[in-house]
Each structure stands twice: as C-alpha cells, then as structure tokens.
Amino acid sequence: MAKLNIVLYEPEIPANTGNIGRTCVATGTKLHLIEPLGFSLSEKALKRAGMDYWSQLEVERYVNYEDFLQRNPGAKIYMATTKAKKIYSEASYEPDCYIMFGKESAGIPEEILVEHPEECVRIPMIGETRSLNLSNSVAIVLYEALRQNQFDHMKLEGDLHRLHWENV
C-alpha cells in the first residue's frame, strides 16, 4: 500500500500548514514538520484551515533537518524547488517516498538542495513568478505521486444520484 510522506521545512504560515494537513488526511499521507515553525500548532488559523480533520492527521515533528534525517534513515526524499531542472511529473515517486517543501519566504536552503540535485523537482510557471502558494504546490505534487501509485487505497468513484424533476 502506498504511504506517501509530505515534509514541510520550517513552515511559516499556519493556514498553509492547516490546508496541507487536511490534504494529508484526505490522501492517507503522513505530515512531517521540521522546526522551527513560524506558529504554534494550537493557533486558530491552523485549526480553521485544517478544520475538524486535524485530529485525524498523522503528524511528526522534528527539532531540525538533521533530526529528520536521523529518524528517517534511507528515506527517498524529493525536494520541490523553483531551482530544479526536472519537472515534478518527470520524477518516479516510490510508494513510501518523502516529498519536501520549503518555508514560504525562502524555500528549502540551497545547501540542502545541492546535495540532492537529481531529487529536486519543480512546478512549471510562466515568466518571473516566484512560486505558487505552498498548500497548492503540495497538492499538485502529491496528487501526481498518488496518480503514479494508482491512487492506492483511495476511493476512486463517487455516487451521483440522479435528480428527478416533476412538472418543471
């Protein structure tokens, strides 16, 4: 069964993290938060964005990037960055891989990125746009990874009920 992981490196905006947490719950994805965080996990904005899903979220916190690496030895980590040469859809996401996103104001530090150039992926954009919103970026890349893993363990069909109108 696919068990993907989203990693947020020093996230700064609680609403983004709340939205990402909700996406993780909806997809069965574990969320990893690398400190320092730019907010408290008890903040209203975080809870509001995550709605009532936050209690269902599988989340792990780390004191820093080194702690993350030590506690996840051998993890295959893809790094989303505007500095990547490869487009996110060109990567082949393993069912248990980690996809890391940097903080809103600065992204993933370049000293980390240069150690993993083949694992860096980007979302194409027009012109000089700096970046997309963090929660949107997570959703785009995560759903590509889920698609590549055949949306394993996810509900693939809805139930549309036909409406019957009389005398309209």
Side-chain angles (χ1 to χ4, degrees):
M1 180 168 105
K3 183 61 177 176
L4 296 169
N5 298 273
I6 292 297
V7 181
L8 300 182
Y9 180 91
E10 299 181 4
E12 300 167 315
I13 301 174
N16 282 337
T17 301
N19 287 332
I20 292 164
R22 183 176 181 176
T23 299
C24 286
V25 170
T27 59
T29 302
K30 184 173 181 178
L31 179 60
H32 303 261
L33 301 174
I34 298 175
E35 298 180 358
L37 308 179
F39 52 87
S40 161
L41 286 178
S42 62
E43 285 190 33
K44 279 188 205 178
L46 177 73
K47 302 292 186 199
R48 185 170 40 249
M51 299 183 67
D52 54 347
Y53 297 99
W54 195 258
S55 63
Q56 300 168 42
L57 177 64
E58 185 180 356
V59 62
E60 192 147 350
R61 292 171 67 176
Y62 305 88
V63 295
N64 55 35
Y65 180 64
E66 291 72 27
D67 181 33
F68 168 76
L69 292 176
Q70 286 178 342
R71 291 168 50 192
N72 296 285
K76 177 66 174 190
I77 307 168
Y78 294 91
M79 301 183 179
T81 173
T82 58
K83 299 171 182 169
K85 300 216 181 293
K86 184 179 354 181
I87 297 172
Y88 74 97
S89 58
E90 295 172 335
S92 295
Y93 301 96
E94 296 82 358
D96 60 349
C97 72
Y98 292 71
I99 308 168
M100 180 183 287
F101 297 82
K103 60 179 154 185
E104 291 89 341
S105 65
I108 299 170
E110 197 156 325
E111 58 267 18
I112 294 174
L113 297 174
V114 297
E115 294 176 10
H116 308 278
E118 293 304 311
E119 288 77 30
C120 291
V121 296
R122 67 175 285 117
I123 299 170
M125 293 176 283
I126 293 174
E128 298 303 314
T129 306
R130 278 195 326 264
S131 66
L132 295 173
N133 173 276
L134 179 61
S135 61
N136 293 337
S137 296
V138 168
I140 289 168
V141 180
L142 175 58
Y143 267 85
E144 173 60 18
L146 290 163
R147 184 194 67 78
Q148 288 184 19
N149 285 278
Q150 290 75 49
F151 297 107
D152 186 31
H153 77 278
M154 298 178 76
K155 182 178 178 182
L156 300 179
E157 294 181 4
D159 187 20
L160 180 64
H161 296 283
R162 187 173 185 174
L163 298 176
H164 297 281
W165 296 88
E166 294 182 25
N167 303 322
V168 177

